[in-house]
Amino acid sequence: MTRRPPLRILYRGPLSSCNYDCPYCPFAKRVSPPEELDADRASLARFCAFVEAASHRDFEILFTPWGEALVRPWYREAMIALGHLPHVHRVAAQTNLSCGTGWLERADRRSVALWVTFHPGEVAYPRFLAKCRSLVRRGVRFSVGIVGLREHEAHARRLRDDLPPEVYV
């Protein structure tokens, strides 16, 4: 039996808050009320149950909420669990990388990946670079982005110089 091409899902739940305060972003420093967090956790659990049950289908999943997901433990746990399913070929998340990276030790690095964004006004360059280097050491696939403002160009060039060539910047 031939399997169909993977179903590619861009997942956005109710989460719409972020721990950063970027002046250009509508989700900056927005605090999610407990009801929204509960709804987000429940939505993610339903989604994960759907993916787990649909083992007849291959998946590629990108978590890109309206805010920062990986500061929430349920997103980290979902990435770990989904990434270990044989029919999930890729599970990735867009993140500012403000959370720790130790949780990735439990992830299947063949399927888990990150799309990290550097925010010069929110985190010091050496701290962000150290987190990126921890991803390299752990063998986690990731790409790095930065908001395309003119004043960020020097940071983008520096990131390109400071990260291994296999990391897309």
Side-chain angles (χ1 to χ4, degrees):
M1 177 176 136
T2 306
R3 290 180 78 100
R4 293 179 280 183
L7 182 58
R8 293 186 176 112
I9 298 176
L10 174 68
Y11 180 89
R12 284 195 168 126
L15 185 68
S16 64
S17 58
C18 186
N19 56 324
Y20 280 5
D21 195 18
C22 303
Y24 48 81
C25 182
F27 308 108
K29 288 292 186 199
R30 184 182 176 286
V31 176
S32 293
E35 318 73 68
E36 183 180 291
L37 294 176
D38 290 344
D40 186 66
R41 185 179 305 133
S43 294
L44 184 59
R46 280 191 307 276
F47 174 73
C48 290
F50 160 75
V51 171
E52 185 175 2
S55 60
H56 63 284
R57 188 73 204 247
D58 292 332
F59 289 90
E60 293 178 358
I61 301 160
L62 173 60
F63 291 113
T64 180
W66 302 112
E68 177 55 36
L70 294 184
V71 295
R72 307 293 175 195
W74 53 92
Y75 279 95
R76 297 188 304 265
E77 293 302 319
M79 287 189 69
I80 292 166
L82 292 171
H84 283 290
L85 296 174
H87 59 286
V88 175
H89 296 220
R90 166 100 21 113
V91 59
Q94 180 181 4
T95 179
N96 61 27
L97 204 56
S98 61
C99 70
T101 57
W103 64 276
L104 289 158
E105 292 295 327
R106 297 185 296 126
D108 184 338
R109 279 158 259 170
R110 293 171 297 182
S111 58
V112 169
L114 298 175
W115 167 14
V116 304
T117 306
F118 177 50
H119 298 270
E122 298 299 313
V123 62
Y125 183 85
R127 181 176 170 86
F128 182 81
L129 182 62
K131 286 199 172 192
C132 289
R133 287 181 172 158
S134 80
L135 296 177
V136 171
R137 280 191 308 278
R138 286 184 163 90
V140 176
R141 287 176 298 156
F142 70 104
S143 62
V144 177
I146 187 169
V147 174
L149 300 174
R150 285 193 188 279
E151 58 266 28
H152 294 170
E153 183 180 353
H155 292 294
R157 292 185 186 282
R158 188 174 175 198
L159 281 165
R160 176 60 289 152
D161 291 341
D162 289 344
L163 290 170
E166 64 271 13
V167 175
Y168 179 85
V169 177

